[in-house]
């Protein structure tokens, strides 16, 4: 039996994020369209002889203790399955943090998938998603990935047709990290649900239809329908992010939007050449930029 496994764990963007209700448990009901992108961490899991979970990361800002979602994922499976022994989890971090790209969630999903394979647990994707949902709202999506409609807290998933070859420019203001809980709580405390402008527009059905339509015109249609309710909280508080989005929209792109609770803003480009031009136009010392394509999976062999 193998004693180690190396996996890639992909970031996600939100092509759509609508907050539809405040929930009594403090969370929010959402309609989201999530897309895996080719910006990946590498997660190496190695069996060790002592009964411990050791997390290592090349980025010193990542906590390696039991607050790390990858640690929590390992601990959950260890508690549930006595056969799961000690392990070292080494994370090579490329996905920025506090970015709205679900980097921590992607690491946790890779750990669930990796442990299942290393210890031959035989879990189905649906069982892995049940464990993932106990750890965080975005983690079930990160187990499977691709292009997905997510509702409820974000854990009820309906796969959509794969968007292959969607070309994206991902821009992260280096100094701005945003806490997801802050963004949602501010949305609630400001009563923004009551003043939603898109309530009756059925925008989510339109973007689902655009994705399902496929073909060459799909990116153009999707670009016009991008939406994120959390921009209403984050952009007024962080004018640098609003400025970055405007700068992207001034380029020849098909649409631009903040991902999740920010601080990443992305643009859809017509092709790779155009994406490189957009990237050069917005890249500064303060803004990290990646040109990436969509992926049809989120955890795969490294
Ligand atoms: O589920 P997770 O721990 O990733 O969520 C982080 C925070 O984001 C939660 O503590 C909550 O404040 C907020 N959130 C929310 N509604 C959701 C998902 C997350 O309010 N559907």
């Amino acid at each position: 039996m193998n004693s180690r496994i190396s996996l890639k764990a992909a970031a996600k963007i939100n092509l759509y994020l609508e907050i539809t209700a405040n929930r009594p448990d403090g969370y929010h009901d959402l309609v989201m369209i999530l897309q895996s992108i080719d910006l990946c961490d590498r997660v190496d899991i190695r069996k060790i002889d002592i009964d411990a979970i050791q997390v290592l990361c090349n980025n010193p800002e990542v906590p390696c203790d039991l607050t790390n979602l990858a640690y929590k994922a390992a601990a959950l499976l260890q508690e549930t399955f006595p056969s799961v022994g000690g392990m070292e989890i080494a994370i090579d971090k490329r996905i920025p943090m506090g970015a709205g790209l679900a980097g921590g969630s992607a690491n946790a999903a890779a750990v669930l998938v990796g442990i299942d394979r290393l210890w031959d647990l035989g879990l189905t994707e649906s069982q892995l998603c049940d464990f993932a949902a106990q750890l965080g709202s975005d983690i079930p999506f990160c187990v499977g990935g691709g292009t997905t409609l997510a509702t409820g807290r974000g854990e009820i998933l309906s796969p959509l047709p794969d968007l292959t070859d969607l070309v994206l420019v991902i821009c992260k203001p280096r100094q701005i990290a945003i806490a997801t809980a802050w963004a949602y709580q501010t949305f609630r405390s400001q009563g923004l649900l009551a003043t939603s402008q898109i309530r009756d527009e059925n925008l989510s059905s339109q973007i689902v239809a655009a994705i399902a339509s496929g073909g060459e015109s799909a990116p153009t249609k999707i670009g016009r329908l991008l939406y994120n309710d959390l921009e209403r909280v984050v952009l007024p508080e962080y004018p640098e992010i609003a400025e970055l989005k405007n700068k992207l929209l001034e380029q020849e792109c098909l649409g631009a939007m903040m991902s999740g609770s920010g601080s990443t803003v992305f643009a859809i480009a017509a092709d790779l050449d155009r994406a490189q031009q957009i990237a050069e136009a917005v890249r500064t010392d303060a803004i990290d930029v990646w040109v990436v394509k969509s992926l049809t999976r989120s955890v795969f062999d490294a």
Side-chain angles (χ1 to χ4, degrees), residues 187-210:
F187 188 93
R188 186 181 288 218
S189 65
Q190 292 182 355
L192 294 180
L193 195 58
T195 60
S196 173
Q197 305 285 313
I198 60 150
R199 255 305 166 67
D200 303 315
E201 287 182 30
N202 236 344
L203 256 191
S204 59
S205 311
Q206 293 180 47
I207 188 166
V208 167

Side-chain angles (χ1 to χ4, degrees), residues 171-227:
C171 308
K172 162 78 174 57
R174 202 170 288 169
Q175 302 298 336
I176 308 178
I178 295 179
T180 306
W182 168 83
Y184 280 103
Q185 277 155 24
T186 308
F187 188 93
R188 186 181 288 218
S189 65
Q190 292 182 355
L192 294 180
L193 195 58
T195 60
S196 173
Q197 305 285 313
I198 60 150
R199 255 305 166 67
D200 303 315
E201 287 182 30
N202 236 344
L203 256 191
S204 59
S205 311
Q206 293 180 47
I207 188 166
V208 167
I211 291 167
S213 72
E216 279 180 22
S217 62
T220 306
K221 292 185 203 159
I222 293 163
R224 290 198 199 109
L225 293 165
L226 299 172
Y227 184 77

Side-chain angles (χ1 to χ4, degrees), residues 23 26-30 105 135-138 152-154 180-182 184-185 188:
R23 294 163 51 127
Y27 282 79
H28 297 80
D29 278 327
L30 307 173
S105 295
L135 298 162
S137 306
D138 281 342
R153 201 159 57 87
T180 306
W182 168 83
Y184 280 103
Q185 277 155 24
R188 186 181 288 218

